[in-house]
Amino acid sequence: MRKTTYIQVINEALGEEMRRDENVFVMGEDVGRYGGLFRVTRNLFDEFGPKRVIDTPISEQGFFGMALGAASVGMRPILELMYMDFSLVAADQIFNQIAKYHYMTGGLVNIPLVIRGQQGAGKRYGSQHSQSVDSLYAHFPGIKVVAPATPYDAKGLLKSAIRDDNPVVFLEHKMLYFTRGEAPPADEEYTIPIGKADVKREGSDLTIATFSYCVLQALEAAEELSEKHGIEVEVVDLRSVEPLDIDTVLASVAKTGHLLAVHESYANSGIGAEIVAQAYEIAPHLLKSPARRLGMAPVSIPVSKPLEEEILPWKGQMVATVLEMMG
Amino acid sequence: MTKKSSTASADDTPRSQAKLSDIPANGVVSTTTDLLSSQVEIAFDVPALPAETLAEMYRQALLIRQVEEFLLKAAEEGKIGGAMHTAIGHEANAVGAAAALNPDDYLTCTYRGHHHGLAHGMDVGRAIAEVLGRADGFAGGKGGSMHFVAPEHGMMGSNGIVGAQVPHAAGLALASQIRDEGRVAITFFGDGAIFQGVMHETFNMASKWKLPVIFYCENNRYSEMTPTWRTSSVGEFYQFARAYGMESVQIDGNDAEVVHAAVTQAAERARAGEGPTFIEGITYRLAGHMAGDLETYRSAEEIEEQRSHDPVLVLRNRLLERGSSEEEIAKIDAAVEKSVAEAIAFAEASPWPDPAMAYTDVYRT
């Protein structure tokens, strides 16, 4: 194992998969010669050339639609978005086309592609460059939604996403890009199956089910709750929200009796509401207190530091909510 | 004609748009370069096709017509749910193009796409069964009329969203280019699709990357229930191609032989690495936009006038001109009638799908 960054392993996973399978190619804005806004695709153009690392014009609908066409005959496009907010420009191609194609054709045509890019708040980019789209995508059948929190998970899950025969939205987070973590050496082959949650911290008193950058925030919240309040939180990293590994969440709740679901997308009609609802539908007897959800407040995301910090469902809000629940 | 000032909504003057009757006998109006020099010059010849090819195109056109007439009637009688968009009057665009392409070339098209699926070899019985929502439909009844698909024939899908299928064809062409396969993709769309933004995004990328794709506009002059001139700032749509550096041509889309010639040339250019071609086939929808269309936007006289350009009739007359006998044509007619009747019987006898199938095919497992 070595210590490496989230960006580094994404870059490695792309290169290793392109070497492994000549059907894999990358499309997006500035991904080629420039190497991507966040340098995630650096060096790929030099190695694979313009046929497999394609600089597109700023035409998200068009190149998303083209990716569907190429994927329908077995190519494996990886579409990079600078900000996942921009994916909404291609909403028809994603929701009406890519997500539905396999079903509408009675399974005759499948669309193996990956839509990847960073989302999330915390760097004061404002309303159109900070939102989290995970709950939105999870609402639509036909797309898998993966959002890993650590470099180890990111590499293994991106490889699985590229090899998946279905469309996968792979959500990175701008606060995660320069975080470091353990991972096997480059070129050491491993994958992580999509749809399996991972317990990132064991605890006996309350379960926080979350994913992406909120996992790191939850781990910090758990340390504070342990040190200052003697509350031991178990942190379940969902790693993907579609498929949703509710079994691992409920296995944790069976131990703790308390459930808080946290995410950075909007709390209303969000994935946290889904997790809480499933807990009540499947195993209400496990809950010793009302299950809660915590997400972004229902406002557009503001730029100013104190305004943005006010609405982020991060450590401070998690600690406060857990203390309320454990009253 | 007095020029009206004031707003666009008050502009009720039909602008010039090509009609079939305006098109010269050789079927070709003009090309991009002609526009630049403002001289009409014929860009390509329309060679006479062999008798067998003409006869096969006639057989397909007649078969499509009869299937569409059955489906339209069934929809009007309430036997089929959902929207029913038939291609009655558009047949030549499909059969001419299909005959010009290779069996492994790709195709995408609009929800008005039964004719393309059938011209590209889809099984007629399974196609009708799909529209009827039966278990033997090619997609088990999940796709229906607007989602025809037959990957084994390169038919990668008709689409319910106007214009959405156009980038799909460019992507198929991109796959062919990356793999160096020499396959061409053709996509059919209507004049109503021209103003979707995704079209122009795709034109730009396809032309810039010289993708082996053919953009085929079936211009029937109506954007669903509105004459397209009412919402268009542009007279002739093939002019768009010029802005993107593409070759373009406007042709008689009701003459399968002309369509064949245009698509053949475009496919040759695409395979030679010369990039996309835009073909505007002037055609006419002889039935409504969909079953139940009140058709208040056009007169009975207009439709009657267009019947003299009926593409099935054009092909039939062409066969007679080239020496086929009435008896030979009658034989084709009888064979088509029989096969359509058999396909309908097959589809109507097909069972409803098991309701449990509603939950399958969400993901490829």
Side-chain angles (χ1 to χ4, degrees):
Chain A
M1 294 290 234
R2 57 172 170 151
K3 279 266 191 185
T4 186
T5 64
Y6 198 97
I7 281 191
Q8 174 63 24
V9 296
I10 300 280
N11 176 259
E12 286 171 11
L14 295 171
E16 288 169 28
E17 288 304 292
M18 290 178 78
R19 263 167 241 131
R20 187 187 60 81
D21 181 352
E22 61 184 15
N23 289 309
V24 178
F25 70 101
V26 173
M27 282 182 112
E29 292 148 14
D30 304 328
V31 297
R33 288 168 181 83
Y34 188 75
L37 177 63
F38 294 95
R39 315 291 297 145
V40 175
T41 56
R42 68 186 178 279
N43 302 330
L44 296 180
F45 183 87
D46 292 340
E47 181 176 352
F48 300 103
K51 263 191 165 181
R52 293 181 68 195
V53 186
I54 302 173
D55 277 320
T56 65
I58 303 171
S59 302
E60 286 86 0
Q61 272 201 83
F63 75 80
F64 273 57
M66 288 175 64
L68 182 154
S72 72
V73 289
M75 298 295 290
R76 290 181 179 267
I78 300 168
L79 300 166
E80 173 172 308
L81 288 160
M82 291 180 179
Y83 294 81
M84 284 307 295
D85 311 65
F86 307 164
S87 69
L88 303 184
V89 177
D92 175 59
Q93 288 298 333
I94 298 170
F95 295 119
N96 276 328
Q97 310 294 335
I98 290 168
K100 293 176 177 162
Y101 227 77
H102 189 255
Y103 190 87
M104 291 192 301
T105 60
L108 291 176
V109 180
N110 66 307
I111 308 298
L113 60 76
V114 175
I115 299 166
R116 55 154 290 275
Q118 58 82 28
Q119 63 171 17
K123 286 195 179 283
R124 300 184 293 286
Y125 276 95
S127 295
Q128 296 169 341
H129 291 68
S130 303
Q131 66 199 310
S132 289
V133 296
D134 41 77
S135 291
L136 179 66
Y137 284 107
H139 187 65
F140 279 77
I143 325 174
K144 295 184 180 180
V145 184
V146 179
T150 66
Y152 180 87
D153 289 349
K155 186 169 182 182
L157 282 163
L158 181 53
K159 288 193 159 198
S160 294
I162 294 166
R163 297 176 195 188
D164 203 289
D165 287 333
N166 298 284
V168 179
V169 174
F170 189 89
L171 301 170
E172 298 149 23
H173 194 295
K174 53 174 70 63
M175 299 297 287
L176 287 173
Y177 268 168
F178 299 99
T179 59
R180 298 173 72 82
E182 299 248 304
D187 291 320
E188 185 175 311
E189 171 71 6
Y190 73 98
T191 58
I192 295 170
I194 294 172
K196 296 278 180 241
D198 181 47
V199 176
K200 288 287 195 287
R201 182 190 196 276
E202 298 208 0
S204 50
D205 300 330
L206 180 141
T207 300
I208 291 182
T210 187
F211 55 93
S212 190
Y213 182 59
C214 282
V215 171
L216 271 55
Q217 290 288 322
L219 290 170
E220 286 186 24
E223 288 310 307
E224 184 175 322
L225 286 160
S226 173
E227 283 167 21
K228 294 190 184 165
H229 305 282
I231 297 169
E232 294 304 326
V233 169
E234 180 147 302
V235 178
V236 177
D237 179 1
L238 296 166
R239 300 198 289 193
S240 68
V241 291
E242 176 56 47
L244 179 67
D245 182 3
I246 196 69
D247 291 347
T248 298
V249 175
L250 294 179
S252 175
V253 176
K255 191 166 71 172
T256 64
H258 303 276
L259 171 62
L260 173 63
V262 184
H263 50 82
E264 226 186 270
S265 50
Y266 292 120
N268 54 301
S269 307
I271 195 71
E274 176 63 29
I275 292 166
V276 168
Q278 287 198 31
Y280 279 111
E281 284 169 353
I282 300 167
H285 58 282
L286 297 178
L287 295 162
K288 294 179 196 156
S289 73
R292 298 268 305 263
R293 71 196 144 129
L294 184 58
M296 192 72 82
V299 297
S300 295
I301 298 166
V303 169
S304 171
K305 192 167 192 281
L307 298 181
E308 187 183 53
E309 284 175 352
E310 166 66 22
I311 60 168
L312 286 172
W314 286 358
K315 179 180 151 189
Q317 289 197 18
M318 288 187 214
V319 169
T321 308
V322 169
L323 290 176
E324 275 176 34
M325 291 174 71
M326 302 304 283
Chain B
M1 188 169 68
T2 328
K3 193 179 178 188
K4 291 184 183 177
S5 56
S6 87
T7 63
S9 58
D11 173 11
D12 211 30
T13 312
R15 276 187 298 275
S16 155
Q17 270 218 317
K19 291 179 183 171
L20 284 166
S21 50
D22 300 334
I23 292 180
N26 65 9
V28 181
V29 171
S30 65
T31 69
T32 301
T33 43
D34 305 330
L35 271 171
L36 289 168
S37 63
S38 66
Q39 284 176 358
V40 174
E41 187 185 316
I42 302 312
F44 61 87
D45 297 326
V46 180
L49 289 171
E52 317 81 76
T53 311
L54 273 181
E56 174 56 14
M57 292 199 302
Y58 170 71
R59 186 192 69 77
Q60 284 188 347
L62 185 67
L63 183 141
I64 292 164
R65 175 66 56 87
Q66 292 190 0
V67 169
E68 293 287 54
E69 283 175 344
F70 163 76
L71 292 175
L72 183 59
K73 186 160 173 283
E76 284 171 350
E77 288 169 354
K79 291 180 186 165
I80 303 175
M84 177 58 63
H85 313 91
T86 65
I88 293 170
H90 284 230
E91 294 87 348
N93 300 281
V95 303
L101 294 167
N102 294 340
D104 66 348
D105 286 335
Y106 297 123
L107 161 77
T108 70
C109 62
T110 73
Y111 49 78
R112 194 181 314 287
H114 301 162
H115 55 328
H116 295 302
L118 296 174
H120 279 260
M122 286 179 79
D123 181 84
V124 185
R126 293 196 67 197
I128 298 173
E130 182 64 30
V131 179
L132 295 178
R134 302 302 173 89
D136 290 305
F138 49 81
K142 283 173 176 161
S145 167
M146 290 194 273
H147 302 291
F148 269 37
V149 63
E152 71 276 22
H153 297 297
M155 163 58 175
M156 300 310 293
S158 59
N159 209 294
I161 304 293
V162 172
Q165 78 285 0
V166 171
H168 301 171
L172 290 158
L174 179 69
S176 171
Q177 188 186 66
I178 292 173
R179 290 168 164 167
D180 200 16
E181 291 179 313
R183 286 176 160 177
V184 168
I186 189 168
T187 182
F188 294 89
F189 49 90
D191 42 307
I194 277 285
F195 299 109
Q196 286 279 32
V198 72
M199 307 283 294
H200 298 268
E201 297 183 15
T202 306
F203 293 160
N204 173 57
M205 284 184 276
S207 185
K208 180 70 185 169
W209 300 338
K210 296 210 179 301
L211 296 179
V213 58
I214 302 167
F215 299 111
Y216 193 114
C217 177
E218 289 176 78
N219 182 358
N220 64 25
R221 284 175 281 145
Y222 291 95
S223 300
E224 308 200 345
M225 278 74 83
T226 298
T228 305
W229 64 263
R230 280 189 193 277
T231 54
S232 170
S233 61
V234 176
E236 308 296 338
F237 299 133
Y238 70 107
Q239 294 178 355
F240 276 123
R242 179 171 54 157
Y244 297 101
M246 263 189 277
E247 289 293 320
S248 72
V249 65
Q250 189 182 55
I251 61 167
D252 179 350
N254 276 17
D255 186 331
E257 213 168 19
V258 171
V259 172
H260 183 280
V263 173
T264 299
Q265 287 244 343
E268 280 169 7
R269 292 191 65 249
R271 278 188 241 280
E274 291 167 29
T277 302
F278 184 103
I279 299 172
E280 182 182 0
I282 304 298
T283 189
Y284 193 80
R285 167 160 65 58
L286 290 168
H289 165 66
M290 60 190 177
D293 182 355
L294 300 172
E295 297 189 63
T296 52
Y297 49 83
R298 60 183 181 179
S299 65
E301 293 74 35
E302 177 184 306
I303 301 169
E304 235 11 80
E305 195 265 328
Q306 294 292 333
R307 286 195 194 284
S308 59
H309 304 291
D310 181 327
V312 181
L313 192 66
V314 169
L315 271 167
R316 192 175 200 283
N317 289 338
R318 189 72 42 82
L319 279 173
L320 290 169
E321 285 165 23
R322 302 273 171 82
S324 292
S325 66
E326 288 282 2
E327 291 72 34
E328 284 166 330
I329 295 173
K331 253 191 207 168
I332 299 174
D333 294 352
V336 166
E337 203 160 312
K338 182 166 176 286
S339 66
V340 171
E342 284 168 1
I344 292 169
F346 168 83
E348 287 183 330
S350 174
W352 292 104
D354 179 346
M357 296 303 286
Y359 303 103
T360 63
D361 299 324
V362 178
Y363 294 96
R364 174 67 61 93
T365 50

